[in-house]
Amino acid sequence: MTMIEKNVQYYAEKGKQLVERVEKKRENMRKKKFDTIAVHGLYSLEDALENNGSIIEPIYMSSAQQYENSNHLEAAQEQQIPSWIYTRITNPTLTYVEEIIAMLEGYKLSEKTSAVLTSSGMAAVFMATNPFLANCEGANIVVDARCYGGTFTIFNERYKGERGLEIRWVKDSLDLNEWEEKMDENTRFVYAETPANPSLNLTDVKALSEIAHKKGIAVIVDSTLATPALFRPLEHGADIVVHSVSKAMAASGSVIAGAIISKNDIVSNFLSEEIKKDFVTYVKFNPMRDHGTALSPISAFFVLNDLRSLRSRVDLMSDNAMKVAEFLNSLDQVECVSYPGLESHPGHSVAKSLMKLADNEDENGEEINRYGYLLSFNVKGGHQAARDLLDQFKIIWTATDLGRVKSVATIPTISTHRQQGDEGRKLASLPSNLIRLSIGIEDVEDIIEDLNQAFKAIQTKSQVQHQ
Ligand SMILES: Cc1ncc(COP(=O)(O)O)c(C=O)c1O
């Protein structure tokens, strides 16, 4: 066939066949186990042969795609043929990762899920929420007050401060009545972060979704701390999931990235039928194209490599975190420990019903709970004691970071949640003696030993001061 005979219809037909082939591949892969999906995604042996045999997915470091002719170009622009066009819109390396994340968040779900990567977790929060805020005069959103500081700030300063949107903060995310009382016909969406950073507060996403959906309100969940290895909000009724992929999904700590995942036909009184049908695809090819929040292919490749071992890594990190939480809980110098795995945690029963390691059962066939890698604890002696303790760590890093293979600690009131101010921190019940500790995959004995020596050092210091 000559180039001229290859008209737009020819490419549209080819596009249809390609979509069917990919759909079949996706259907087959969705039947596999969590780890197999994470390792292979849709990159098959046949794909490798078309890529010089490369067993690892190639990084397409190219700004744009070459077309066979103007008909091919036109068919691509009209989305009649799967195509990546320009790296601000999408890119094949990103597609490998997006397919995996969509399948992992939709693991064992019968409905189709779609994912899009963004340049950061904050870009994901913005791109997942902004489409709900057109003409927002008189509108409100209902939000977990204990969300991540950056999320608090985008809602409080950008949406409320700059656009006049009403933010109805939920102080106790476990209290479903509080959520319900704050929703009305002008609520554009409800927004939960579970577990929340750094309070580790939980939200019963299933119950919340039932309440919100009765009122036609979309449910958006930041599931960064759980990752799909432990909890998949879509399965429990949520419409849209956001992730700071920068965290445990990309645990090596090389890149900043985000993701939005949705299922088809989400609930919303506000969005058009077309947007609700496939929210993520709408976001990817419309607002994201215009706002330019795409991830770089090289960053996507780093994510891809870390994602492959997500489940086993989160398992180990969670196992270590549980032991560290128990250790901290036994110390006199600690006021309280917040970790969903501890029975004393107010959200323990919700966590127990929702946070389960994918594909893991005990000898009785019961699913195994894992409660994640993040915990926080309040140091006796106030803010200065917390600072003194942090300054004593020898192995645990001091950084505004979490979800790493390395253990990392910070004091949120002077770092991650500093920007939301005293008022915001009061709303979020965030004390200044709270240390947030993200547990890595080091040997847990060494992490505990580091904590132990740090507590001993501050005890000695305080004894000397009191002599
Ligand atoms: C729960 C949560 N959501 C969103 C974000 C923002 O992600 P990023 O730093 O990738 O922009 C963070 C960052 O710490 C977070 O902890």
Side-chain angles (χ1 to χ4, degrees):
M1 194 178 278
T2 65
M3 284 289 192
I4 297 304
E5 284 166 318
K6 289 182 175 178
N7 56 19
V8 174
Q9 284 71 30
Y10 163 84
Y11 286 108
E13 189 46 44
K14 261 189 92 173
K16 239 169 71 194
Q17 290 164 7
L18 192 57
V19 167
E20 278 165 18
R21 265 208 318 275
V22 172
E23 191 55 44
K24 218 176 248 163
K25 243 175 28 174
R26 198 181 287 119
E27 276 318 301
N28 284 336
M29 187 44 72
R30 272 165 62 96
K31 290 181 199 136
K32 306 276 187 244
K33 295 282 190 171
F34 192 95
D35 285 338
T36 310
I37 295 170
V39 170
H40 289 260
L42 293 191
Y43 188 69
S44 63
L45 279 59
E46 294 75 31
D47 292 327
L49 294 176
E50 286 171 17
N51 279 310
N52 295 311
S54 172
I55 66 164
I56 298 299
E57 296 84 339
I59 313 175
Y60 287 85
M61 287 304 286
S62 171
S63 53
Q65 174 181 2
Q66 160 69 15
Y67 295 99
E68 283 185 8
N69 56 36
S70 61
N71 291 332
H72 190 200
L73 171 74
E74 191 180 345
Q77 297 288 334
E78 286 180 356
Q79 292 178 23
Q80 296 200 43
I81 184 162
S83 184
W84 57 279
I85 305 173
Y86 186 59
T87 290
R88 172 157 51 77
I89 301 168
T90 185
N91 174 287
T93 309
L94 269 70
T95 307
Y96 297 136
V97 185
E98 288 167 345
E99 288 284 357
I100 293 175
I101 293 179
M103 287 189 279
L104 296 184
E105 275 298 343
Y107 187 54
K108 294 197 170 156
L109 202 68
S110 55
E111 297 138 281
K112 185 175 172 281
T113 49
S114 318
V116 63
L117 284 167
T118 55
S119 54
S120 68
M122 285 317 301
V125 173
F126 173 60
M127 293 314 314
T129 53
N130 195 49
F132 288 88
L133 301 180
N135 308 318
C136 67
E137 208 183 316
N140 67 73
I141 58 174
V142 179
V143 183
D144 184 352
R146 301 200 205 192
C147 58
Y148 163 62
T151 307
F152 188 99
T153 310
I154 191 174
F155 292 163
N156 203 43
E157 294 189 10
R158 306 281 84 77
Y159 293 171
K160 180 178 160 212
E162 294 173 2
R163 302 189 197 179
L165 179 72
E166 186 188 348
I167 318 291
R168 297 183 177 171
W169 297 108
V170 172
K171 288 191 192 139
D172 180 2
S173 63
L174 282 170
D175 183 354
L176 292 163
N177 288 332
E178 191 185 347
W179 283 101
E180 184 160 20
E181 279 161 12
K182 290 191 164 141
M183 297 177 206
D184 65 21
E185 65 283 1
N186 295 318
T187 303
R188 295 286 171 90
F189 60 81
V190 299
Y191 190 98
E193 181 179 305
T194 185
N197 168 16
S199 68
L200 282 309
N201 259 44
L202 271 292
T203 301
D204 184 341
V205 171
K206 195 165 178 219
L208 178 65
S209 302
E210 278 165 19
I211 295 168
H213 287 172
K214 275 193 197 133
K215 299 173 191 290
I217 300 171
V219 177
I220 306 178
V221 176
D222 182 332
S223 193
T224 298
L225 296 193
T227 85
L230 300 185
F231 174 54
R232 295 172 293 283
L234 300 181
E235 182 186 329
H236 298 281
D239 299 283
I240 298 165
V241 174
V242 296
H243 277 286
S244 168
V245 172
S246 327
K247 306 298 173 342
M249 281 183 169
S252 304
S254 314
V255 294
I256 296 297
I260 310 170
I261 306 95
S262 72
K263 52 188 176 197
N264 281 1
D265 300 312
I266 64 169
V267 173
S268 169
N269 277 341
F270 173 75
L271 296 178
S272 70
E273 291 306 316
E274 190 208 335
I275 299 177
K276 285 193 291 187
K277 179 122 212 64
D278 189 346
F279 179 80
V280 152
T281 304
Y282 162 77
V283 167
K284 182 177 191 169
F285 289 106
N286 298 277
M288 272 190 63
R289 172 202 59 199
D290 304 336
H291 286 282
T293 50
L295 186 69
S296 142
I298 189 103
S299 294
F301 182 74
F302 280 107
V303 173
L304 182 64
N305 273 342
D306 275 359
L307 258 186
R308 302 189 211 272
S309 51
L310 179 70
R311 199 188 64 93
S312 47
R313 192 162 13 87
V314 169
D315 183 19
L316 179 54
M317 288 158 93
S318 304
D319 203 33
N320 283 351
M322 186 73 207
K323 290 177 182 139
V324 171
E326 281 165 351
F327 166 74
L328 288 168
N329 215 18
S330 71
L331 297 180
D332 282 344
Q333 288 156 286
V334 171
E335 256 172 30
C336 62
V337 181
S338 186
Y339 183 65
L342 295 176
E343 281 179 21
S344 56
H345 190 274
H348 178 67
S349 61
V350 172
K352 200 169 162 56
S353 74
L354 298 180
M355 296 179 76
K356 292 166 181 172
L357 184 67
D359 295 336
N360 249 33
E361 288 176 354
D362 63 16
E363 57 280 7
N364 303 319
E366 295 287 325
E367 288 178 295
I368 294 178
N369 284 114
R370 286 284 183 268
Y371 299 100
Y373 53 84
L374 197 73
L375 54 94
S376 59
F377 60 99
N378 300 6
V379 185
K380 271 189 194 157
H383 180 62
Q384 189 55 47
R387 286 179 101 113
D388 290 346
L389 188 79
L390 201 76
D391 293 342
Q392 292 299 332
F393 293 152
K394 306 273 187 282
I395 287 180
I396 300 166
W397 301 79
T398 300
T400 55
D401 205 4
L402 56 90
R404 295 287 149 256
V405 288
K406 299 179 175 191
S407 294
V408 187
T410 191
I411 300 174
T413 52
I414 56 166
S415 57
T416 52
H417 291 63
R418 188 190 53 78
Q419 63 214 19
Q420 74 195 57
D422 284 342
E423 190 85 348
R425 284 190 292 273
K426 216 165 113 200
L427 199 64
S429 315
L430 191 60
S432 63
N433 63 336
L434 180 145
I435 290 186
R436 184 185 78 186
L437 180 56
S438 174
I439 301 299
I441 58 169
E442 303 96 335
D443 191 295
V444 69
E445 298 287 315
D446 290 329
I447 305 168
I448 290 174
E449 176 45 36
D450 198 29
L451 287 161
N452 204 18
Q453 66 77 28
F455 275 107
K456 278 194 180 141
I458 62 164
Q459 194 169 31
T460 310
K461 188 179 158 199
S462 132
Q463 279 163 353
V464 169
Q465 277 168 354
H466 286 96
Q467 273 167 10

